[in-house]
PDB file of all heavy atoms in Angstrom:
ATOM      1  N   LEU A   9       0.831  -1.204   0.000  1.00 95.00           N
ATOM      2  CA  LEU A   9       0.000   0.000   0.000  1.00 95.00           C
ATOM      3  C   LEU A   9       0.865   1.254   0.000  1.00 95.00           C
ATOM      4  O   LEU A   9       0.554   2.236  -0.688  1.00 95.00           O
ATOM      5  CB  LEU A   9      -0.941  -0.011   1.208  1.00 95.00           C
ATOM      6  CG  LEU A   9      -1.927   1.146   1.319  1.00 95.00           C
ATOM      7  CD1 LEU A   9      -2.829   1.227   0.094  1.00 95.00           C
ATOM      8  CD2 LEU A   9      -2.771   0.993   2.579  1.00 95.00           C
ATOM      9  N   ILE A  10       1.956   1.230   0.721  1.00 96.00           N
ATOM     10  CA  ILE A  10       2.883   2.368   0.750  1.00 96.00           C
ATOM     11  C   ILE A  10       3.449   2.614  -0.650  1.00 96.00           C
ATOM     12  O   ILE A  10       3.490   3.746  -1.125  1.00 96.00           O
ATOM     13  CB  ILE A  10       4.003   2.131   1.783  1.00 96.00           C
ATOM     14  CG1 ILE A  10       3.426   2.158   3.201  1.00 96.00           C
ATOM     15  CG2 ILE A  10       5.113   3.165   1.617  1.00 96.00           C
ATOM     16  CD1 ILE A  10       4.379   1.674   4.270  1.00 96.00           C
ATOM     17  N   HIS A  11       3.850   1.541  -1.343  1.00 96.00           N
ATOM     18  CA  HIS A  11       4.380   1.681  -2.701  1.00 96.00           C
ATOM     19  C   HIS A  11       3.309   2.206  -3.654  1.00 96.00           C
ATOM     20  O   HIS A  11       3.591   3.051  -4.506  1.00 96.00           O
ATOM     21  CB  HIS A  11       4.935   0.348  -3.210  1.00 96.00           C
ATOM     22  CG  HIS A  11       6.253  -0.012  -2.623  1.00 96.00           C
ATOM     23  ND1 HIS A  11       7.396   0.738  -2.828  1.00 96.00           N
ATOM     24  CD2 HIS A  11       6.628  -1.042  -1.831  1.00 96.00           C
ATOM     25  CE1 HIS A  11       8.403   0.187  -2.193  1.00 96.00           C
ATOM     26  NE2 HIS A  11       7.961  -0.899  -1.565  1.00 96.00           N
ATOM     27  N   GLN A  12       2.084   1.709  -3.512  1.00 96.00           N
ATOM     28  CA  GLN A  12       0.989   2.161  -4.374  1.00 96.00           C
ATOM     29  C   GLN A  12       0.734   3.654  -4.178  1.00 96.00           C
ATOM     30  O   GLN A  12       0.621   4.410  -5.142  1.00 96.00           O
ATOM     31  CB  GLN A  12      -0.287   1.369  -4.071  1.00 96.00           C
ATOM     32  CG  GLN A  12      -1.464   1.797  -4.920  1.00 96.00           C
ATOM     33  CD  GLN A  12      -2.748   1.123  -4.477  1.00 96.00           C
ATOM     34  OE1 GLN A  12      -2.970   0.919  -3.275  1.00 96.00           O
ATOM     35  NE2 GLN A  12      -3.591   0.776  -5.427  1.00 96.00           N
ATOM     36  N   ARG A  13       0.651   4.075  -2.929  1.00 93.00           N
ATOM     37  CA  ARG A  13       0.407   5.492  -2.649  1.00 93.00           C
ATOM     38  C   ARG A  13       1.579   6.353  -3.107  1.00 93.00           C
ATOM     39  O   ARG A  13       1.372   7.458  -3.598  1.00 93.00           O
ATOM     40  CB  ARG A  13       0.136   5.693  -1.163  1.00 93.00           C
ATOM     41  CG  ARG A  13      -1.209   5.144  -0.747  1.00 93.00           C
ATOM     42  CD  ARG A  13      -1.471   5.347   0.715  1.00 93.00           C
ATOM     43  NE  ARG A  13      -2.778   4.844   1.082  1.00 93.00           N
ATOM     44  CZ  ARG A  13      -3.246   4.826   2.315  1.00 93.00           C
ATOM     45  NH1 ARG A  13      -2.498   5.285   3.315  1.00 93.00           N
ATOM     46  NH2 ARG A  13      -4.436   4.357   2.575  1.00 93.00           N
ATOM     47  N   SER A  14       2.788   5.839  -2.982  1.00 96.00           N
ATOM     48  CA  SER A  14       3.959   6.568  -3.448  1.00 96.00           C
ATOM     49  C   SER A  14       3.890   6.767  -4.963  1.00 96.00           C
ATOM     50  O   SER A  14       4.218   7.843  -5.482  1.00 96.00           O
ATOM     51  CB  SER A  14       5.228   5.807  -3.064  1.00 96.00           C
ATOM     52  OG  SER A  14       6.360   6.432  -3.599  1.00 96.00           O
ATOM     53  N   HIS A  15       3.444   5.747  -5.674  1.00 96.00           N
ATOM     54  CA  HIS A  15       3.283   5.846  -7.127  1.00 96.00           C
ATOM     55  C   HIS A  15       2.257   6.925  -7.467  1.00 96.00           C
ATOM     56  O   HIS A  15       2.472   7.724  -8.389  1.00 96.00           O
ATOM     57  CB  HIS A  15       2.858   4.494  -7.700  1.00 96.00           C
ATOM     58  CG  HIS A  15       2.527   4.534  -9.146  1.00 96.00           C
ATOM     59  ND1 HIS A  15       3.480   4.659 -10.132  1.00 96.00           N
ATOM     60  CD2 HIS A  15       1.326   4.506  -9.779  1.00 96.00           C
ATOM     61  CE1 HIS A  15       2.878   4.697 -11.311  1.00 96.00           C
ATOM     62  NE2 HIS A  15       1.575   4.598 -11.120  1.00 96.00           N
ATOM     63  N   PHE A  16       1.137   6.961  -6.758  1.00 92.00           N
ATOM     64  CA  PHE A  16       0.112   7.980  -7.002  1.00 92.00           C
ATOM     65  C   PHE A  16       0.667   9.383  -6.758  1.00 92.00           C
ATOM     66  O   PHE A  16       0.378  10.315  -7.513  1.00 92.00           O
ATOM     67  CB  PHE A  16      -1.110   7.749  -6.120  1.00 92.00           C
ATOM     68  CG  PHE A  16      -1.927   6.540  -6.489  1.00 92.00           C
ATOM     69  CD1 PHE A  16      -2.655   5.868  -5.526  1.00 92.00           C
ATOM     70  CD2 PHE A  16      -1.963   6.059  -7.792  1.00 92.00           C
ATOM     71  CE1 PHE A  16      -3.419   4.760  -5.861  1.00 92.00           C
ATOM     72  CE2 PHE A  16      -2.717   4.947  -8.133  1.00 92.00           C
ATOM     73  CZ  PHE A  16      -3.447   4.296  -7.162  1.00 92.00           C
ATOM     74  N   ILE A  17       1.451   9.524  -5.710  1.00 92.00           N
ATOM     75  CA  ILE A  17       2.036  10.834  -5.392  1.00 92.00           C
ATOM     76  C   ILE A  17       3.013  11.253  -6.486  1.00 92.00           C
ATOM     77  O   ILE A  17       3.010  12.409  -6.924  1.00 92.00           O
ATOM     78  CB  ILE A  17       2.709  10.799  -4.006  1.00 92.00           C
ATOM     79  CG1 ILE A  17       1.647  10.661  -2.917  1.00 92.00           C
ATOM     80  CG2 ILE A  17       3.556  12.052  -3.785  1.00 92.00           C
ATOM     81  CD1 ILE A  17       2.187  10.333  -1.551  1.00 92.00           C
ATOM     82  N   ASP A  18       3.840  10.316  -6.956  1.00 93.00           N
ATOM     83  CA  ASP A  18       4.772  10.624  -8.045  1.00 93.00           C
ATOM     84  C   ASP A  18       4.018  11.054  -9.303  1.00 93.00           C
ATOM     85  O   ASP A  18       4.405  12.009  -9.978  1.00 93.00           O
ATOM     86  CB  ASP A  18       5.649   9.411  -8.364  1.00 93.00           C
ATOM     87  CG  ASP A  18       6.670   9.112  -7.286  1.00 93.00           C
ATOM     88  OD1 ASP A  18       6.940  10.010  -6.454  1.00 93.00           O
ATOM     89  OD2 ASP A  18       7.188   7.976  -7.271  1.00 93.00           O
ATOM     90  N   GLU A  19       2.947  10.335  -9.607  1.00 88.00           N
ATOM     91  CA  GLU A  19       2.145  10.660 -10.792  1.00 88.00           C
ATOM     92  C   GLU A  19       1.518  12.045 -10.663  1.00 88.00           C
ATOM     93  O   GLU A  19       1.524  12.838 -11.606  1.00 88.00           O
ATOM     94  CB  GLU A  19       1.067   9.593 -10.966  1.00 88.00           C
ATOM     95  CG  GLU A  19       0.324   9.664 -12.269  1.00 88.00           C
ATOM     96  CD  GLU A  19      -0.638   8.500 -12.424  1.00 88.00           C
ATOM     97  OE1 GLU A  19      -0.277   7.365 -12.061  1.00 88.00           O
ATOM     98  OE2 GLU A  19      -1.749   8.742 -12.907  1.00 88.00           O
ATOM     99  N   ALA A  20       0.996  12.357  -9.496  1.00 84.00           N
ATOM    100  CA  ALA A  20       0.395  13.674  -9.269  1.00 84.00           C
ATOM    101  C   ALA A  20       1.442  14.776  -9.370  1.00 84.00           C
ATOM    102  O   ALA A  20       1.189  15.844  -9.948  1.00 84.00           O
ATOM    103  CB  ALA A  20      -0.284  13.717  -7.901  1.00 84.00           C
ATOM    104  N   ALA A  21       2.624  14.530  -8.849  1.00 87.00           N
ATOM    105  CA  ALA A  21       3.699  15.526  -8.923  1.00 87.00           C
ATOM    106  C   ALA A  21       4.099  15.781 -10.371  1.00 87.00           C
ATOM    107  O   ALA A  21       4.334  16.935 -10.768  1.00 87.00           O
ATOM    108  CB  ALA A  21       4.904  15.058  -8.108  1.00 87.00           C
ATOM    109  N   ARG A  22       4.160  14.718 -11.190  1.00 85.00           N
ATOM    110  CA  ARG A  22       4.478  14.894 -12.612  1.00 85.00           C
ATOM    111  C   ARG A  22       3.395  15.716 -13.306  1.00 85.00           C
ATOM    112  O   ARG A  22       3.694  16.566 -14.138  1.00 85.00           O
ATOM    113  CB  ARG A  22       4.650  13.540 -13.299  1.00 85.00           C
ATOM    114  CG  ARG A  22       5.985  12.890 -13.019  1.00 85.00           C
ATOM    115  CD  ARG A  22       6.242  11.713 -13.954  1.00 85.00           C
ATOM    116  NE  ARG A  22       5.241  10.660 -13.857  1.00 85.00           N
ATOM    117  CZ  ARG A  22       5.272   9.667 -12.974  1.00 85.00           C
ATOM    118  NH1 ARG A  22       6.257   9.609 -12.087  1.00 85.00           N
ATOM    119  NH2 ARG A  22       4.336   8.754 -12.962  1.00 85.00           N
ATOM    120  N   MET A  23       2.144  15.477 -12.971  1.00 78.00           N
ATOM    121  CA  MET A  23       1.043  16.244 -13.569  1.00 78.00           C
ATOM    122  C   MET A  23       1.145  17.718 -13.183  1.00 78.00           C
ATOM    123  O   MET A  23       0.912  18.597 -14.007  1.00 78.00           O
ATOM    124  CB  MET A  23      -0.312  15.671 -13.134  1.00 78.00           C
ATOM    125  CG  MET A  23      -0.642  14.349 -13.775  1.00 78.00           C
ATOM    126  SD  MET A  23      -2.201  13.653 -13.164  1.00 78.00           S
ATOM    127  CE  MET A  23      -3.357  14.873 -13.733  1.00 78.00           C
ATOM    128  N   LEU A  24       1.500  17.981 -11.944  1.00 79.00           N
ATOM    129  CA  LEU A  24       1.622  19.365 -11.490  1.00 79.00           C
ATOM    130  C   LEU A  24       2.803  20.071 -12.144  1.00 79.00           C
ATOM    131  O   LEU A  24       2.786  21.290 -12.311  1.00 79.00           O
ATOM    132  CB  LEU A  24       1.733  19.424  -9.969  1.00 79.00           C
ATOM    133  CG  LEU A  24       0.464  19.093  -9.205  1.00 79.00           C
ATOM    134  CD1 LEU A  24       0.746  19.034  -7.709  1.00 79.00           C
ATOM    135  CD2 LEU A  24      -0.632  20.096  -9.505  1.00 79.00           C
ATOM    136  N   ASP A  25       3.842  19.307 -12.518  1.00 80.00           N
ATOM    137  CA  ASP A  25       4.976  19.900 -13.223  1.00 80.00           C
ATOM    138  C   ASP A  25       4.561  20.410 -14.599  1.00 80.00           C
ATOM    139  O   ASP A  25       5.091  21.396 -15.088  1.00 80.00           O
ATOM    140  CB  ASP A  25       6.117  18.889 -13.375  1.00 80.00           C
ATOM    141  CG  ASP A  25       6.886  18.678 -12.086  1.00 80.00           C
ATOM    142  OD1 ASP A  25       6.770  19.527 -11.167  1.00 80.00           O
ATOM    143  OD2 ASP A  25       7.596  17.652 -11.981  1.00 80.00           O
ATOM    144  N   VAL A  26       3.606  19.721 -15.225  1.00 77.00           N
ATOM    145  CA  VAL A  26       3.134  20.112 -16.557  1.00 77.00           C
ATOM    146  C   VAL A  26       2.237  21.334 -16.466  1.00 77.00           C
ATOM    147  O   VAL A  26       2.419  22.314 -17.171  1.00 77.00           O
ATOM    148  CB  VAL A  26       2.400  18.934 -17.233  1.00 77.00           C
ATOM    149  CG1 VAL A  26       1.783  19.362 -18.544  1.00 77.00           C
ATOM    150  CG2 VAL A  26       3.344  17.765 -17.427  1.00 77.00           C
ATOM    151  N   SER A  27       1.244  21.276 -15.602  1.00 72.00           N
ATOM    152  CA  SER A  27       0.353  22.420 -15.400  1.00 72.00           C
ATOM    153  C   SER A  27      -0.473  22.208 -14.135  1.00 72.00           C
ATOM    154  O   SER A  27      -0.675  21.083 -13.708  1.00 72.00           O
ATOM    155  CB  SER A  27      -0.585  22.609 -16.592  1.00 72.00           C
ATOM    156  OG  SER A  27      -1.510  21.547 -16.665  1.00 72.00           O
ATOM    157  N   ALA A  28      -0.935  23.299 -13.590  1.00 70.00           N
ATOM    158  CA  ALA A  28      -1.760  23.226 -12.381  1.00 70.00           C
ATOM    159  C   ALA A  28      -3.197  22.907 -12.779  1.00 70.00           C
ATOM    160  O   ALA A  28      -3.743  23.543 -13.674  1.00 70.00           O
ATOM    161  CB  ALA A  28      -1.706  24.547 -11.633  1.00 70.00           C
ATOM    162  N   PRO A  29      -3.809  21.922 -12.148  1.00 69.00           N
ATOM    163  CA  PRO A  29      -5.198  21.607 -12.476  1.00 69.00           C
ATOM    164  C   PRO A  29      -6.127  22.722 -12.006  1.00 69.00           C
ATOM    165  O   PRO A  29      -5.884  23.344 -10.980  1.00 69.00           O
ATOM    166  CB  PRO A  29      -5.470  20.308 -11.706  1.00 69.00           C
ATOM    167  CG  PRO A  29      -4.474  20.312 -10.606  1.00 69.00           C
ATOM    168  CD  PRO A  29      -3.277  21.060 -11.104  1.00 69.00           C
ATOM    169  N   PRO A  30      -7.174  22.980 -12.749  1.00 64.00           N
ATOM    170  CA  PRO A  30      -8.120  24.042 -12.375  1.00 64.00           C
ATOM    171  C   PRO A  30      -9.067  23.572 -11.267  1.00 64.00           C
ATOM    172  O   PRO A  30     -10.224  23.264 -11.511  1.00 64.00           O
ATOM    173  CB  PRO A  30      -8.865  24.315 -13.684  1.00 64.00           C
ATOM    174  CG  PRO A  30      -8.775  23.024 -14.430  1.00 64.00           C
ATOM    175  CD  PRO A  30      -7.482  22.378 -14.015  1.00 64.00           C
ATOM    176  N   LEU A  31      -8.565  23.515 -10.059  1.00 65.00           N
ATOM    177  CA  LEU A  31      -9.342  22.959  -8.950  1.00 65.00           C
ATOM    178  C   LEU A  31     -10.521  23.829  -8.548  1.00 65.00           C
ATOM    179  O   LEU A  31     -11.439  23.354  -7.884  1.00 65.00           O
ATOM    180  CB  LEU A  31      -8.429  22.719  -7.746  1.00 65.00           C
ATOM    181  CG  LEU A  31      -7.356  21.662  -7.962  1.00 65.00           C
ATOM    182  CD1 LEU A  31      -6.452  21.572  -6.753  1.00 65.00           C
ATOM    183  CD2 LEU A  31      -7.969  20.317  -8.266  1.00 65.00           C
ATOM    184  N   THR A  32     -10.532  25.081  -8.937  1.00 63.00           N
ATOM    185  CA  THR A  32     -11.673  25.928  -8.595  1.00 63.00           C
ATOM    186  C   THR A  32     -12.945  25.413  -9.242  1.00 63.00           C
ATOM    187  O   THR A  32     -14.038  25.732  -8.797  1.00 63.00           O
ATOM    188  CB  THR A  32     -11.435  27.380  -9.035  1.00 63.00           C
ATOM    189  OG1 THR A  32     -11.136  27.383 -10.431  1.00 63.00           O
ATOM    190  CG2 THR A  32     -10.286  28.009  -8.274  1.00 63.00           C
ATOM    191  N   SER A  33     -12.824  24.587 -10.279  1.00 62.00           N
ATOM    192  CA  SER A  33     -13.999  24.063 -10.954  1.00 62.00           C
ATOM    193  C   SER A  33     -14.740  23.022 -10.115  1.00 62.00           C
ATOM    194  O   SER A  33     -15.824  22.584 -10.479  1.00 62.00           O
ATOM    195  CB  SER A  33     -13.608  23.445 -12.293  1.00 62.00           C
ATOM    196  OG  SER A  33     -12.772  22.335 -12.077  1.00 62.00           O
ATOM    197  N   LEU A  34     -14.179  22.625  -8.983  1.00 70.00           N
ATOM    198  CA  LEU A  34     -14.845  21.654  -8.105  1.00 70.00           C
ATOM    199  C   LEU A  34     -15.991  22.276  -7.307  1.00 70.00           C
ATOM    200  O   LEU A  34     -16.855  21.564  -6.807  1.00 70.00           O
ATOM    201  CB  LEU A  34     -13.834  21.038  -7.142  1.00 70.00           C
ATOM    202  CG  LEU A  34     -12.789  20.130  -7.761  1.00 70.00           C
ATOM    203  CD1 LEU A  34     -11.748  19.749  -6.722  1.00 70.00           C
ATOM    204  CD2 LEU A  34     -13.423  18.905  -8.349  1.00 70.00           C
ATOM    205  N   ALA A  35     -15.994  23.584  -7.193  1.00 68.00           N
ATOM    206  CA  ALA A  35     -17.025  24.258  -6.399  1.00 68.00           C
ATOM    207  C   ALA A  35     -18.408  23.947  -6.957  1.00 68.00           C
ATOM    208  O   ALA A  35     -18.660  24.084  -8.143  1.00 68.00           O
ATOM    209  CB  ALA A  35     -16.776  25.759  -6.394  1.00 68.00           C
ATOM    210  N   GLY A  36     -19.298  23.509  -6.107  1.00 74.00           N
ATOM    211  CA  GLY A  36     -20.668  23.226  -6.502  1.00 74.00           C
ATOM    212  C   GLY A  36     -20.907  21.798  -6.946  1.00 74.00           C
ATOM    213  O   GLY A  36     -22.037  21.311  -6.886  1.00 74.00           O
ATOM    214  N   VAL A  37     -19.876  21.119  -7.412  1.00 79.00           N
ATOM    215  CA  VAL A  37     -20.032  19.754  -7.897  1.00 79.00           C
ATOM    216  C   VAL A  37     -20.312  18.810  -6.732  1.00 79.00           C
ATOM    217  O   VAL A  37     -21.150  17.912  -6.833  1.00 79.00           O
ATOM    218  CB  VAL A  37     -18.786  19.306  -8.692  1.00 79.00           C
ATOM    219  CG1 VAL A  37     -18.855  17.834  -9.036  1.00 79.00           C
ATOM    220  CG2 VAL A  37     -18.647  20.147  -9.937  1.00 79.00           C
ATOM    221  N   GLU A  38     -19.633  19.042  -5.632  1.00 77.00           N
ATOM    222  CA  GLU A  38     -19.753  18.151  -4.482  1.00 77.00           C
ATOM    223  C   GLU A  38     -21.189  18.071  -3.958  1.00 77.00           C
ATOM    224  O   GLU A  38     -21.666  17.004  -3.600  1.00 77.00           O
ATOM    225  CB  GLU A  38     -18.811  18.647  -3.383  1.00 77.00           C
ATOM    226  CG  GLU A  38     -18.700  17.716  -2.218  1.00 77.00           C
ATOM    227  CD  GLU A  38     -17.699  18.209  -1.196  1.00 77.00           C
ATOM    228  OE1 GLU A  38     -17.453  19.426  -1.119  1.00 77.00           O
ATOM    229  OE2 GLU A  38     -17.188  17.372  -0.458  1.00 77.00           O
ATOM    230  N   GLU A  39     -21.882  19.187  -3.943  1.00 78.00           N
ATOM    231  CA  GLU A  39     -23.259  19.161  -3.432  1.00 78.00           C
ATOM    232  C   GLU A  39     -24.241  18.604  -4.453  1.00 78.00           C
ATOM    233  O   GLU A  39     -25.277  18.045  -4.086  1.00 78.00           O
ATOM    234  CB  GLU A  39     -23.691  20.568  -3.017  1.00 78.00           C
ATOM    235  CG  GLU A  39     -23.810  21.540  -4.169  1.00 78.00           C
ATOM    236  CD  GLU A  39     -24.094  22.961  -3.732  1.00 78.00           C
ATOM    237  OE1 GLU A  39     -23.601  23.367  -2.687  1.00 78.00           O
ATOM    238  OE2 GLU A  39     -24.810  23.648  -4.475  1.00 78.00           O
ATOM    239  N   ALA A  40     -23.934  18.712  -5.743  1.00 82.00           N
ATOM    240  CA  ALA A  40     -24.854  18.261  -6.778  1.00 82.00           C
ATOM    241  C   ALA A  40     -24.714  16.773  -7.093  1.00 82.00           C
ATOM    242  O   ALA A  40     -25.675  16.145  -7.537  1.00 82.00           O
ATOM    243  CB  ALA A  40     -24.641  19.081  -8.045  1.00 82.00           C
ATOM    244  N   LEU A  41     -23.560  16.207  -6.874  1.00 82.00           N
ATOM    245  CA  LEU A  41     -23.317  14.813  -7.234  1.00 82.00           C
ATOM    246  C   LEU A  41     -24.306  13.841  -6.586  1.00 82.00           C
ATOM    247  O   LEU A  41     -24.836  12.970  -7.279  1.00 82.00           O
ATOM    248  CB  LEU A  41     -21.874  14.427  -6.913  1.00 82.00           C
ATOM    249  CG  LEU A  41     -21.421  13.068  -7.415  1.00 82.00           C
ATOM    250  CD1 LEU A  41     -21.585  12.959  -8.923  1.00 82.00           C
ATOM    251  CD2 LEU A  41     -19.980  12.824  -7.023  1.00 82.00           C
ATOM    252  N   PRO A  42     -24.596  13.960  -5.294  1.00 85.00           N
ATOM    253  CA  PRO A  42     -25.577  13.027  -4.709  1.00 85.00           C
ATOM    254  C   PRO A  42     -26.949  13.111  -5.379  1.00 85.00           C
ATOM    255  O   PRO A  42     -27.633  12.103  -5.517  1.00 85.00           O
ATOM    256  CB  PRO A  42     -25.665  13.464  -3.240  1.00 85.00           C
ATOM    257  CG  PRO A  42     -24.367  14.157  -2.978  1.00 85.00           C
ATOM    258  CD  PRO A  42     -23.995  14.809  -4.274  1.00 85.00           C
ATOM    259  N   LEU A  43     -27.334  14.297  -5.829  1.00 85.00           N
ATOM    260  CA  LEU A  43     -28.613  14.439  -6.533  1.00 85.00           C
ATOM    261  C   LEU A  43     -28.618  13.653  -7.837  1.00 85.00           C
ATOM    262  O   LEU A  43     -29.604  13.009  -8.192  1.00 85.00           O
ATOM    263  CB  LEU A  43     -28.902  15.914  -6.834  1.00 85.00           C
ATOM    264  CG  LEU A  43     -29.297  16.783  -5.647  1.00 85.00           C
ATOM    265  CD1 LEU A  43     -29.383  18.248  -6.063  1.00 85.00           C
ATOM    266  CD2 LEU A  43     -30.627  16.316  -5.079  1.00 85.00           C
ATOM    267  N   LEU A  44     -27.510  13.714  -8.562  1.00 83.00           N
ATOM    268  CA  LEU A  44     -27.415  12.967  -9.819  1.00 83.00           C
ATOM    269  C   LEU A  44     -27.490  11.471  -9.591  1.00 83.00           C
ATOM    270  O   LEU A  44     -28.081  10.740 -10.382  1.00 83.00           O
ATOM    271  CB  LEU A  44     -26.104  13.304 -10.530  1.00 83.00           C
ATOM    272  CG  LEU A  44     -26.047  14.626 -11.260  1.00 83.00           C
ATOM    273  CD1 LEU A  44     -24.679  14.818 -11.894  1.00 83.00           C
ATOM    274  CD2 LEU A  44     -27.124  14.709 -12.313  1.00 83.00           C
ATOM    275  N   LEU A  45     -26.876  11.017  -8.519  1.00 87.00           N
ATOM    276  CA  LEU A  45     -26.830   9.581  -8.247  1.00 87.00           C
ATOM    277  C   LEU A  45     -28.210   8.998  -7.970  1.00 87.00           C
ATOM    278  O   LEU A  45     -28.432   7.808  -8.176  1.00 87.00           O
ATOM    279  CB  LEU A  45     -25.883   9.298  -7.086  1.00 87.00           C
ATOM    280  CG  LEU A  45     -24.405   9.601  -7.374  1.00 87.00           C
ATOM    281  CD1 LEU A  45     -23.566   9.418  -6.119  1.00 87.00           C
ATOM    282  CD2 LEU A  45     -23.875   8.737  -8.503  1.00 87.00           C
TER     283      LEU A  45
END
């Protein structure tokens, strides 16, 4: 599990090196998702 999580962290760090994800787009999605489900 430690190796798996380390791999995920490495992958995320590589993605952040390319560009920053537009995390502000998450606003509002969290409350609407249960309604869709």
Side-chain angles (χ1 to χ4, degrees):
L9 183 58
I10 292 169
H11 284 296
Q12 179 187 37
R13 289 180 179 176
S14 175
H15 174 73
F16 290 151
I17 291 168
D18 289 342
E19 190 175 319
R22 282 193 300 274
M23 288 177 64
L24 289 174
D25 284 343
V26 174
S27 68
L31 295 176
T32 55
S33 64
L34 292 172
V37 172
E38 188 177 26
E39 66 186 35
L41 188 58
L43 287 173
L44 283 179
L45 294 174

